[in-house]
Amino acid sequence: MAKLAITSIIDAIMQLDSNYEVTQIIDAIKLKQNYLQADARRQFVAGDQVQFTSRNGQTYKGTIDRIKQKYILVTVKGNSGFPMRYNVPATMLSKVA
């Protein structure tokens, strides 16, 4: 989506006058987020090799163990050689070739 379109959407939101209208916008955004997350989850299966970037900016590579309702459980080999498991939102994952 173009930056101009996003700016015009934000301007329209700022002009809302009632709490009811704001609540409807919030509900619509939550529905869209849930749809995008479910769509992203469908792209993965257990055993896929994936990568993700953590909050501190470090990139991890691992294997999908399980696909849950909200998160995907990914096993990553730790620095000490022991596996570490992370719950990662599907929208943060990308497949590794």
Side-chain angles (χ1 to χ4, degrees):
M1 182 176 277
K3 187 173 179 101
L4 180 61
I6 293 172
T7 304
S8 63
I9 291 169
I10 292 171
D11 289 342
I13 290 171
M14 296 306 289
Q15 294 176 12
L16 296 176
D17 292 332
S18 73
N19 193 40
Y20 175 74
E21 292 172 336
V22 173
T23 301
Q24 283 191 305
I25 299 294
I26 291 169
D27 289 343
I29 290 170
K30 287 180 182 178
L31 282 172
K32 185 63 175 182
Q33 282 180 323
N34 288 337
Y35 171 78
L36 291 172
Q37 289 169 353
D39 191 44
R41 269 195 316 274
R42 285 189 284 271
Q43 296 177 16
F44 300 104
V45 294
D48 281 352
Q49 297 292 316
V50 293
Q51 70 179 16
F52 63 96
T53 303
S54 69
R55 291 180 186 153
N56 63 7
Q58 186 174 359
T59 300
Y60 293 97
K61 292 183 182 180
T63 305
I64 293 178
D65 280 345
R66 181 174 167 213
I67 298 175
K68 303 181 193 180
Q69 285 184 349
K70 282 195 165 197
Y71 298 101
I72 295 180
L73 187 62
V74 178
T75 299
V76 176
K77 288 186 180 178
N79 293 339
S80 60
F82 293 105
M84 299 173 65
R85 300 173 97 191
Y86 294 94
N87 280 315
V88 184
T91 54
M92 290 181 60
L93 292 174
S94 59
K95 289 187 179 182
V96 176

